[in-house]
């Protein structure tokens, strides 16, 4: 009859666990880059612009090195399911009212970044879609 030794069983179990953990990371859940940035006292909107980096406003008054939370919705902007990750303010430019936050939490998510263009792609008379959060609720507004 076929016998499996305890050592072989443990190696097989470890192999299966490693296989599935790598498989899960490779096919990680996608988070939408339109996010909410917050501390215990305030909140504002931001957008992921690159892997692990969020662009947001600078008039919140926090300085470089301040710790914030970045809440990203699962799959789509208006999703009720959101993941909160820790971040740290990397750069602040008060003159242009821009702030760069680096996500510092270890995570196995893919964050869909929004592209930033160096040129004006707007069409005169066209609409722009603005995504953000007001009082924690997802907002989309099309404005001329």
């Amino acid at each position: 009859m076929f016998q499996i030794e305890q050592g072989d069983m443990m190696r097989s179990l470890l192999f299966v666990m490693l296989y599935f953990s790598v498989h899960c990371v490779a096919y990680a859940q996608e988070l939408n880059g339109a996010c909410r940035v917050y501390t215990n006292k305030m909140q504002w909107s931001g957008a992921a612009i690159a892997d692990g980096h969020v662009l947001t406003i600078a008039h919140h008054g926090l300085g470089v090195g301040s710790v914030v939370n970045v809440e990203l919705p699962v799959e789509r902007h208006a999703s009720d399911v959101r993941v909160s990750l820790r971040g740290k303010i990397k750069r602040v430019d008060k003159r242009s009212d821009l702030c760069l936050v680096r996500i510092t939490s270890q995570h196995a998510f893919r964050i869909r970044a929004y592209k930033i263009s160096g040129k004006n792609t707007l069409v005169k008379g066209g609409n722009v879609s603005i995504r953000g959060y007001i009082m924690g609720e997802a907002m989309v507004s099309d404005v001329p």
Side-chain angles (χ1 to χ4, degrees), residues 9 13 16 48 54 57 69 74 86 92 96 100 106 113 116 134:
M9 180 69 116
L13 182 59
V16 170
V54 171
I57 51 97
N69 296 299
V74 174
R86 185 73 75 185
V92 175
S96 63
L100 186 65
Q106 295 295 321
I116 297 178
I134 295 181

Side-chain angles (χ1 to χ4, degrees), residues 81 84 127 140:
V81 180
S84 186
N127 285 348
V140 176

Side-chain angles (χ1 to χ4, degrees), residues 4-78:
I4 299 177
E5 293 186 25
Q6 188 173 4
D8 291 336
M9 180 69 116
M10 292 302 288
R11 278 191 289 279
S12 298
L13 182 59
L14 181 60
F15 172 77
V16 170
M17 288 172 51
L18 286 172
Y19 172 80
F20 281 111
S21 66
V22 169
H23 182 74
C24 289
V25 171
Y27 296 100
Q29 184 72 49
E30 185 175 69
L31 304 178
N32 188 287
C35 58
R36 183 173 78 106
V37 183
Y38 67 96
T39 66
N40 289 340
K41 298 181 181 179
M42 57 190 150
Q43 67 174 359
W44 58 94
S45 299
I49 59 168
D51 186 32
H53 288 85
V54 171
L55 186 64
T56 186
I57 51 97
H59 62 261
H60 46 65
L62 300 174
V64 172
S66 297
V67 175
V68 296
N69 296 299
V70 178
E71 187 178 83
L72 299 129
V74 174
E75 294 180 359
R76 59 186 172 79
H77 173 62

Side-chain angles (χ1 to χ4, degrees), residues 72-143:
L72 299 129
V74 174
E75 294 180 359
R76 59 186 172 79
H77 173 62
S79 174
D80 291 333
V81 180
R82 300 181 196 156
V83 175
S84 186
L85 302 171
R86 185 73 75 185
K88 190 178 274 191
I89 295 178
K90 186 174 178 177
R91 291 201 175 130
V92 175
D93 184 344
K94 291 183 182 180
R95 186 172 179 186
S96 63
D97 194 25
L98 292 174
C99 174
L100 186 65
V101 175
R102 183 175 57 85
I103 295 173
T104 57
S105 296
Q106 295 295 321
H107 59 86
F109 298 100
R110 289 189 321 254
I111 300 173
R112 187 180 331 137
Y114 287 82
K115 293 181 181 178
I116 297 178
S117 174
K119 57 186 175 183
N120 188 351
T121 59
L122 301 177
V123 176
K124 187 174 183 177
N127 285 348
V128 175
S129 183
I130 299 173
R131 298 176 188 275
Y133 288 86
I134 295 181
M135 304 303 290
E137 295 297 318
M139 173 205 74
V140 176
S141 181
D142 288 327
V143 295

